[in-house]
Amino acid sequence: MNSYDGDRLRTAMIHKGWTETPDETADVVFLVTCSIREKAEQKVASEIGRYDLQFRKTGGPILVLVGCMAQRIGREMAKKFPCIRIVSGPRHLGLVPQAVEDTMQDGRARFFFDDDPRALDDLEVVPTERTNPFKAFVTISYGCDRFCSYCIVPHVRGRLQSRAPEEILTEVETLAQTGVKEISLLGQNVDAYGKDGSGGYGFARLLDDVSKIEGVERIRFYTSHPKDFDEDILEVMARAPRICRAINLPVQSGSDRILKEMNRGYTSAQYLELVAKIRAALPDVSLTTDLIVGFPGETDEEYHMSYDLLKSVKFDIVHTAAYSPRPGTRAAVMDGQIDKRVKAARLNEINEMQSGVARELNEAYVGGTFKVLLDAPAPRGEGLLQGRTMTDKVVIVSGNVLNLGQFVDVKITGASHWSLQGERFEGE
């Protein structure tokens, strides 16, 4: 979602005549921030400190701080670091590009906070200026109404607000016309799309309509909520070959007591029942999940319920995190906060187990041939490119930058817990 906002800000500034440049020569630097965990905010603070040293010496660059951290503590950060001249919450990005030009003229700091959790002054721009020309994100809704007790999102991104379907479809059509081959639909909870209105147009119908747009060869979506995941989504996925066979379905805990304390709205049995329905409808699906260890009051027995659930379900990827208290959330003031060393030990143990599961699942791909969209240079290794299968598996294959944006058939020759290795398959 932050990548999407960054691409839209980039596009808006370029349309205003600005030129993107390395940060050491920039007049203005944008920081699109996250508050989901304390570590994310610490990274931003470190970056700001680096720019502020330069600003105090040379008077530039000025910083534009936007997103969740900006909404939460932007005013305090601006008092501490004079390089920050513009601060905007995630629901007022539409005011930022003009504010940059105004501040460059008069030097005044400007602040746009999301005081009304339902107000929205968004950027009306399609992100045509992106770092990846072949893939694009499209946000379909803002905010969240779930109020999980550990989650800061409703406090910094506001309440659920679905974009109009015609607006989303027009954006996807525009992106397809510019050469985008893969679209990822984004929402804090995509399954809740349309449930804040009365029109009856929900996520399944949107997914179906997007899948019919010419030029878009693959559609992904992030992230689902077990409480809102409707079976008609599976019906659309089963009949629409362009929709990728991959679903992220956060479980967060295997303990029913902890799930209740988290305000998740389902039990572990209900979650497992949904997993069974998904796998029955989509036998080749790749399932990933999110899990928190060390939630306040989590006992060793409850931790092992999570461990056992992951081990039995066998997820392709588990995004694990040690519980991080976020100011303003109910969980932050709960009794029974877990010691950091205990959380770290649980996290390490569960990650080690999951690495073995992921490797086992990935090894089942060895010997098979799969269509892959080559979308970026591999992070390590000269002459290597990476892409993803329909089931969201990262594949590393040899090639040069001229091959980027191509769909190729790849025969899988090796597997690790995080990726597959393969060779381009030219047929018999």
Side-chain angles (χ1 to χ4, degrees):
M1 200 164 278
N2 279 2
S3 295
Y4 175 72
D5 288 345
D7 286 340
R8 291 191 300 154
L9 287 165
R10 172 189 287 112
T11 301
M13 296 307 293
I14 290 173
H15 287 178
K16 276 183 165 290
W18 289 68
T19 301
E20 188 169 13
T21 185
D23 60 356
E24 59 266 18
T25 59
D27 299 306
V28 182
V29 172
F30 288 78
L31 293 180
V32 188
T33 65
C34 176
S35 283
I36 200 73
R37 286 188 287 275
E38 184 180 10
K39 187 176 180 180
E41 293 190 344
Q42 290 172 345
K43 288 181 179 179
V44 175
S46 177
E47 283 288 290
I48 294 172
R50 181 170 64 87
Y51 286 115
D52 198 60
L53 285 174
Q54 182 180 340
F55 180 84
R56 291 174 188 266
K57 292 177 181 177
T58 66
I62 70 167
L63 256 59
V64 181
L65 192 70
V66 304
C68 295
M69 183 178 175
Q71 171 67 18
R72 196 178 80 79
I73 54 171
R75 194 176 296 277
E76 298 94 299
M77 297 297 287
K79 288 178 181 178
K80 184 177 180 181
F81 299 105
C83 64
I84 300 173
R85 308 306 295 154
I86 297 167
V87 178
S88 173
R91 299 175 80 100
H92 280 79
L93 296 185
L95 304 178
V96 170
Q98 185 59 49
V100 172
E101 299 201 328
D102 292 343
T103 294
M104 292 296 289
Q105 289 291 324
D106 62 25
R108 288 197 305 112
R110 287 172 166 81
F111 301 88
F112 309 110
F113 293 110
D114 306 341
D115 297 323
D116 181 346
R118 298 186 186 277
L120 182 67
D121 202 328
D122 201 20
L123 270 171
E124 302 295 333
V125 61
V126 177
T128 53
E129 302 290 341
R130 299 180 312 281
T131 53
N132 191 317
F134 317 113
K135 298 168 63 175
F137 298 117
V138 175
T139 289
I140 66 171
S141 62
Y142 310 95
C144 182
D145 284 352
R146 276 283 159 209
F147 284 93
C148 298
S149 64
Y150 55 83
C151 185
I152 200 169
V153 165
H155 304 279
V156 290
R157 283 193 172 266
R159 304 300 295 274
L160 174 67
Q161 185 169 344
S162 301
R163 292 179 68 190
E166 57 271 18
E167 186 180 318
I168 297 168
L169 296 173
T170 297
E171 181 168 334
V172 174
E173 288 170 354
T174 302
L175 290 167
Q177 291 164 8
T178 65
V180 170
K181 297 180 179 180
E182 181 178 301
I183 293 286
S184 294
L185 303 177
L186 304 177
Q188 301 297 332
N189 173 7
V190 290
D191 308 324
Y193 177 82
K195 293 182 180 181
D196 53 327
S198 57
Y201 188 107
F203 180 59
R205 184 172 170 188
L206 176 68
L207 198 57
D208 195 26
D209 286 346
V210 170
S211 74
K212 297 172 183 174
I213 294 175
E214 286 300 316
V216 178
E217 310 238 4
R218 287 187 175 177
I219 301 126
R220 304 186 189 276
F221 56 90
Y222 311 95
T223 268
S224 292
H225 192 295
K227 182 69 173 176
D228 292 306
F229 193 97
D230 299 323
E231 290 185 36
D232 54 355
I233 297 171
L234 296 177
E235 294 172 9
V236 171
M237 292 182 71
R239 69 170 183 264
R242 295 180 181 178
I243 301 172
C244 293
R245 299 300 191 258
I247 296 173
N248 180 246
L249 192 71
V251 64
Q252 302 301 8
S253 176
S255 160
D256 289 347
R257 188 189 73 83
I258 294 293
L259 288 172
K260 186 175 182 180
E261 289 294 319
M262 288 178 166
N263 193 34
R264 290 294 289 172
Y266 54 84
T267 65
S268 58
Q270 289 169 331
Y271 182 90
L272 293 173
E273 182 182 354
L274 178 56
V275 167
K277 288 179 180 178
I278 290 171
R279 285 180 165 164
L282 304 169
D284 59 342
V285 73
S286 169
L287 266 182
T288 64
T289 196
D290 301 355
L291 185 120
I292 295 171
V293 300
F295 185 82
E298 182 187 65
T299 65
D300 285 341
E301 181 183 2
E302 288 168 329
Y303 157 69
H304 281 102
M305 290 177 181
S306 295
Y307 184 100
D308 292 342
L309 185 146
L310 297 191
K311 196 171 183 178
S312 65
V313 174
K314 294 188 181 297
F315 293 98
D316 290 79
I317 296 173
V318 180
H319 306 109
T320 56
Y323 170 71
S324 176
R326 308 311 298 131
T329 62
R330 186 167 64 86
V333 295
M334 284 181 178
D335 293 334
Q337 300 290 326
I338 307 295
D339 184 270
K340 287 184 178 180
R341 291 168 296 181
V342 174
K343 289 191 286 189
R346 291 175 180 176
L347 190 65
N348 289 338
E349 183 180 40
I350 218 159
N351 283 341
E352 184 177 354
M353 179 270 290
Q354 176 57 32
S355 291
V357 170
R359 180 184 293 274
E360 176 188 332
L361 293 174
N362 286 348
E363 285 174 347
Y365 282 72
V366 175
T369 301
F370 302 89
K371 183 167 284 190
V372 173
L373 171 61
L374 301 176
D375 57 39
R380 289 187 292 272
E382 192 172 344
L384 297 176
L385 303 177
Q386 73 175 26
R388 291 179 185 267
T389 66
M390 284 286 284
T391 52
D392 209 25
K393 298 290 184 180
V394 175
V395 179
I396 308 297
V397 65
S398 61
N400 61 58
V401 292
L402 297 177
N403 301 129
L404 292 176
Q406 298 177 0
F407 282 98
V408 297
D409 290 325
V410 176
K411 184 172 184 178
I412 305 304
T413 57
S416 69
H417 71 277
W418 70 274
S419 69
L420 306 172
Q421 297 81 49
E423 298 174 349
R424 292 178 65 169
F425 182 74
E426 307 296 343
E428 299 298 332

